[in-house]
Amino acid sequence: ERVFNEQAFVRGVFSNEYVLVVGSGTILDRSQFPDSGGDINQYIIDEINHDRRQERADFVNHRTFTDVFRGTPLDEVDPIYSLLTDGYEYALDDISPELTRLLRTKLFRLVLTTCIDSYVETLMRDIWGNELRIVNIADNQSLKDFQDALAQCRQNRYSQPTLFYVFGKVIDGRSKPRGYVETDVDAIKIIEKWMMEVDTKYIVPFLKEKRMLALGCKFDDWYFRFFWYILTRGFDDTDREGTKDIDGNLLTCDNLATLFD
């Protein structure tokens, strides 16, 4: 039975032992986006549902990105891409105050986001400026650049502020190929990439040396459960410390807000 050691956790955070995994559920300020509960993915789906209800009286709400994709004719523009690039502004004031306060401590230099939007990047860019490195798992050149950066220093010495897009990102001006997870098939391809193609000499050993602290991630998304298993146990048969909270669950933004008050 695991016992949460708060002192050891705090020491680990201050020693740069933790990678923060940021999921969709903690991106937006819940007071400003109450309908979506602060979940950026739900906000995107709600906005698309709203637009389509204006077009069709018999429209049935989409519940997932896969539903959105299935409900979009092939000759129509990708609605997710359009929403996040057509004049969309990533405002710092939109971001969850808990996440903002946490990242502004500068205690988490390595962050993985499972989202495809640029809110976390906007916040980290405001904190770290040009020092921030972006690693897009869906982009081979981005992976190669990070591999080269690790090769130039001792792996356990790498401390440049870095944001990893686990499932790709929406990039304005490059909608084809999408390069981000939108459907279950996209998710399978990205997971396969993690299992088979992500360089095992540099990137995987680097991440295995770290502990993972998840914030706003949802186990009801099967592809996240699969990714989490790969990241924490799938690379070998050993169990890992530091992947769960006191009750064995992923930490929420409320948990972390009290820890860092």
Side-chain angles (χ1 to χ4, degrees), residues 140 143 189 191-200:
N140 289 331
L143 287 172
K189 289 180 179 178
I191 291 170
E192 183 181 41
K193 188 178 185 71
W194 272 96
M195 294 177 68
M196 305 295 293
E197 298 178 20
V198 175
D199 192 290
T200 57

Side-chain angles (χ1 to χ4, degrees), residues 27-38:
I27 300 298
L28 299 176
D29 182 350
R30 286 171 290 180
S31 65
Q32 296 188 61
F33 300 88
D35 293 339
S36 64

Side-chain angles (χ1 to χ4, degrees), residues 28-47:
L28 299 176
D29 182 350
R30 286 171 290 180
S31 65
Q32 296 188 61
F33 300 88
D35 293 339
S36 64
D39 190 311
I40 181 61
N41 288 353
Q42 189 60 54
Y43 170 77
I44 293 171
I45 292 170
D46 289 346
E47 288 297 297

Side-chain angles (χ1 to χ4, degrees), residues 151-165:
Q152 292 172 10
C153 64
R154 295 181 179 179
Q155 293 182 24
N156 59 359
R157 288 292 191 95
Y158 180 89
S159 61
Q160 180 177 352
T162 303
L163 173 63
F164 299 81
Y165 281 91

